[in-house]
Amino acid sequence: MFDKVLIANRGEIALRIVRACRELGVGSVAVYSDADATAPHAREADEAVHIGPSPSRESYLRADRLIDAARRTGAEAIHPGYGFLSERENFAREVVEAGLVFIGPPASAIAAVGSKTAARALAGTANVPVVPGTTEPLRSVHEASEAAQRLGYPVLLKASAGGGGKGMRVVRAAVELAGALEAAKREAMASFGDDAVYVEKYIAGPRHVEIQVLGDAHGTMLSLGERECSIQRRHQKMIEEAPSVAVSPELRRRMGETAVRMAKAAGYVNAGTCEFLLDANGEFYFLEMNTRLQVEHPVTELVTGLDLVQWQIRIAAGEKLPQQSAIAEPRGWAIECRITSEDAGNDFLPSTGVISFLRVPGGPGVRWDGGVGAGSEIGLHYDPLLGKLIAWGDTRDAAIARMRRALLELTIVGVETSRDFHLRVMDDAEFQRGAIDIQWLERRLPSLTAGGGMPEGEVAVAIAAALLAESERAGRLAAPPRGGTATTGGDGAWREAGLRDGLRSL
Ligand code: ADP
C-alpha cells in the first residue's frame, strides 16, 4: 500500500478521498488555490500544498504543479477525483512518466473511450448496443442532414468531447439543423477546445441507467449494479438512486455483462461507469463511458457495502478484487441529492456569499459528503456543488422518507441552495411512484419551483439562524484550528438557542 497519496481536486470529493486514505492508513496531501486557502479539504488532509491562483486553469488544471507537489511531498500516487484533470489522457500519462501511480485507468483506456465517437466505434466491435447515429464527427451540414434524414427527426447533436451536457442540441425538424449544428460546434469549441460534433437519434422518454464497473490489474472486472440518474436538468444529474425501479435482477445481469464487455474492450482498470439509456421496453443503449469516479458513487456504496474510493486506491496499489460471485444483489435503497449553491426559485441562478451557518443532518441511514463549512466563501470559480446528501433505507419508500427528514435537518445560511427544490421532489407523487424519465424534471419544474419562498413557519427559524450565525462568526468560529473543520454549531448550537425541538429548519 502507498504511504502517501496526493489529491488533485477540491471540495467534497477531495474530502471524500482524504477519508478513504485515513481509513486505509495512507497519508494524504491536499492541493489548494488562493480561493481555497482555508477550505475544509485543505485543512482536513495531513498536508496541503498551494498550487496557484483561484482560476482552475492556473491551479487545479495545472498538471505540472500537481506533479511537482507530489514530488515535493513524497506522495507516490495521485488521485484525480472527478472533473478537472480526471479524464485527461495526457495527465494520466504524465503522472506515470513522472514515476508516480495514477489512481484511475491507464491512459490507453481513457483514449479508447474518452471521446464519445471513439467509444461508440469501440462499442460496435464489442457487441454493445449504441443509440443509432454516426460514429464519426460530422464534416458538413450536408452530411448532418443526410444522417438526420436517415435516423428520422428528432435527432440530437452531441460534442464528441462532450461532458456535463454541454455542446448538445435537440433538433426537431430539418429547418433547425444548420443553426443547431453551428451552435453545438461553437459551444463544443468553447467548452472543450474541440468542435467535433456527431448526431444521434433523440430517444423520447428513456431513463438514464448506468452501471458501475470495477476492474483490477489481474484481469477481474466486476459489475456493481446500476444507478438510476433520470432526474436531470439540462442533461445534468440532480438526484440519483440505486437500484432502479425499472431494473429487474435479470436486466441488471444483462446490463452488467454488457458494461463489463465494454470495459474489457477498452483495456480498463479501476473504477468506471457505462452510461445507458433504457427505454420503456427494457431495451438499453450505450451512451458513453466515464473513466473516473462518479459524483453519485455513494449510492452504489450504500447498497453494495463496498467502499469504491478505497478500492480505487487498493487497485492502484496492485490488490486483487473478489470474484463477481461474491457481489450480492443490492441491499435496500439509496438516494442522493446534490446540494448546490443555486437558487431553484430563480432558474437555478448561482448564488454567492459566505456560509455563515451550517447544520449537517445525522441519524440513522444518513450520509453527508460535504465540501464546505461555516465560514466558507462560495464564489463563481468552481462548481456550485456544496455537498451531497445521501439517505439509505430498506425500501425505496423508507429511503425517501429518510431523505425528506434529512433535508429538513440540513440548514445552510448565507447562500441560496437547492435544498427546498429537493424537498419538493421527495414530496412529489410521481417521483414517489418512480414514474420518472430523463425529461420528467423539465416537465415538472414549473410546479416544483412554483410558489418559491419559504414554507410557512420557517421564516422565524431563518431569522433566528441568521442571528445565531452572526454570534457564531463573532465567537466560536474565529480562526478554526488547522486540522479541524470549520463546521461547528449543529445540534448543540440549536439547543443553545432553544430552537431545536419541534421546529423545522430552513
Ligand atoms: P454528457 O457527457 O454531456 O453528460 P451524455 O451523453 O452523458 O452527455 O448525455 C447526457 C444526458 O443527455 C443523458 O443522461 C440523457 O438524459 C440525455 N441524452 C443523451 N443522449 C440522448 C439521446 N440520444 N436521446 C435522448 N436523450 C439523450
Side-chain angles (χ1 to χ4, degrees):
M1 185 42 71
F2 308 116
D3 285 330
K4 208 187 264 188
V5 165
L6 180 127
I7 301 159
N9 216 301
R10 64 177 301 283
E12 71 86 18
I13 195 59
L15 268 169
R16 169 72 187 87
I17 300 164
V18 169
R19 287 178 166 139
C21 287
R22 206 153 274 159
E23 289 175 22
L24 287 170
V26 172
S28 54
V29 183
V31 294
Y32 63 93
S33 66
D34 286 349
D36 281 339
T38 59
H41 81 272
R43 276 208 303 268
E44 276 292 322
D46 296 334
E47 296 170 62
V49 179
H50 178 246
I51 47 157
S54 305
S56 30
R57 63 175 184 284
E58 294 174 52
S59 48
Y60 298 105
L61 290 172
R62 284 288 298 265
D64 55 341
R65 293 190 184 161
L66 294 162
I67 290 170
D68 185 54
R71 281 212 179 104
R72 280 193 285 133
T73 53
E76 304 134 276
I78 296 187
H79 195 310
Y82 53 68
F84 293 129
L85 296 173
S86 61
E87 296 188 274
R88 302 267 179 97
E89 176 195 345
N90 282 345
F91 182 59
R93 187 171 298 117
E94 285 164 32
V95 168
V96 173
E97 281 170 2
L100 304 165
V101 177
F102 181 71
I103 302 178
S108 58
I110 301 179
V113 291
S115 92
K116 291 188 204 288
T117 37
R120 285 167 63 80
L122 184 68
T125 68
N127 196 22
V128 170
V130 296
V131 181
T134 62
T135 46
E136 293 290 327
L138 299 163
R139 280 167 305 191
S140 64
V141 180
H142 177 68
E143 204 177 271
S145 152
E146 272 187 356
Q149 213 73 60
R150 195 162 19 89
L151 295 166
Y153 288 93
V155 296
L156 186 61
L157 297 171
K158 284 172 110 169
S160 300
K166 295 207 182 74
M168 285 173 54
R169 285 285 183 291
V170 182
V171 188
R172 301 194 181 273
V175 286
E176 297 169 8
L177 188 66
L181 183 62
E182 181 66 37
K185 274 176 167 291
R186 211 180 319 115
E187 195 171 310
M189 192 50 150
S191 302
F192 315 110
D194 174 358
D195 74 349
V197 166
Y198 71 103
V199 61
E200 273 178 17
K201 174 79 188 153
Y202 182 70
I203 314 257
R207 290 168 183 265
H208 173 119
V209 176
E210 59 185 32
I211 301 284
Q212 175 72 53
V213 296
L214 194 58
D216 65 20
H218 309 279
T220 299
M221 181 64 67
L222 301 177
S223 158
L224 301 181
E226 80 280 7
R227 288 183 288 261
E228 157 98 51
C229 312
S230 296
I231 308 274
Q232 300 181 354
R233 178 176 169 270
R234 299 192 176 157
H235 310 297
Q236 286 188 337
K237 300 163 189 167
M238 302 195 69
I239 298 174
E240 302 95 344
E241 52 186 300
S244 162
V245 292
V247 176
S248 64
E250 207 278 316
L251 181 56
R252 178 171 304 124
R253 187 185 51 74
R254 273 197 295 132
M255 293 184 80
E257 283 170 5
T258 307
V260 163
R261 211 159 56 236
M262 184 69 200
K264 282 188 169 165
Y268 206 84
V269 176
N270 217 291
T273 295
C274 286
E275 297 189 332
F276 297 95
L277 292 179
L278 174 67
D279 73 16
N281 304 319
E283 298 293 327
F284 57 90
Y285 307 93
F286 172 80
L287 268 185
E288 66 165 344
M289 182 158 186
N290 289 328
T291 58
R292 54 168 162 82
L293 188 69
Q294 298 278 88
V295 176
E296 59 272 22
H297 74 276
V299 293
T300 299
E301 296 188 319
L302 293 186
V303 298
T304 61
L306 295 170
D307 187 308
L308 287 174
V309 181
Q310 282 192 26
W311 267 113
Q312 285 194 291
I313 299 169
R314 291 168 69 179
I315 288 167
E319 280 192 36
K320 277 188 169 169
L321 281 164
Q323 293 304 303
Q324 185 74 49
S325 53
I327 306 299
E329 286 292 304
R331 185 179 158 263
W333 216 279
I335 301 178
E336 173 182 282
C337 290
R338 298 189 186 195
I339 307 296
T340 58
S341 51
E342 292 174 314
D343 184 357
N346 197 0
D347 202 26
F348 290 86
L349 213 65
S351 171
T352 58
V354 174
I355 295 184
S356 51
F357 182 83
L358 171 71
R359 181 201 189 199
V360 168
V366 170
R367 168 171 163 182
W368 170 252
D369 277 20
V372 294
S376 290
E377 192 172 338
I378 309 304
L380 291 171
H381 285 297
Y382 311 114
D383 191 275
L385 187 67
L386 301 174
K388 303 174 318 201
L389 185 56
I390 309 113
W392 181 91
D394 53 1
T395 62
R396 187 167 184 272
D397 287 347
I400 292 173
R402 222 167 227 174
M403 177 59 86
R404 199 176 175 283
R405 185 270 291 171
L407 282 164
L408 285 170
E409 286 179 14
L410 174 68
T411 309
I412 300 175
V413 181
V415 289
E416 296 293 334
T417 77
S418 56
R419 190 203 77 149
D420 289 357
F421 158 78
H422 287 293
L423 265 175
R424 292 195 174 105
V425 176
M426 294 304 126
D427 285 341
D428 186 278
E430 280 181 11
F431 173 76
Q432 289 173 353
R433 282 202 308 276
I436 49 175
D437 61 49
I438 60 170
Q439 282 115 28
W440 179 82
L441 185 57
E442 303 277 355
R443 281 197 304 272
R444 208 74 177 152
L445 259 182
S447 58
L448 287 169
T449 50
M454 227 172 260
E456 211 183 319
E458 295 196 347
V459 176
V461 183
I463 295 167
L467 288 172
L468 192 62
E470 255 327 293
S471 66
E472 289 270 327
R473 205 164 27 187
R476 302 195 342 224
L477 255 188
R482 219 195 119 76
T485 74
T487 312
T488 62
D491 288 355
W494 282 84
R495 215 176 294 113
E496 266 167 45
L499 285 170
R500 191 163 175 269
D501 291 332
L503 283 177
R504 291 195 293 164
S505 49
L506 303 183

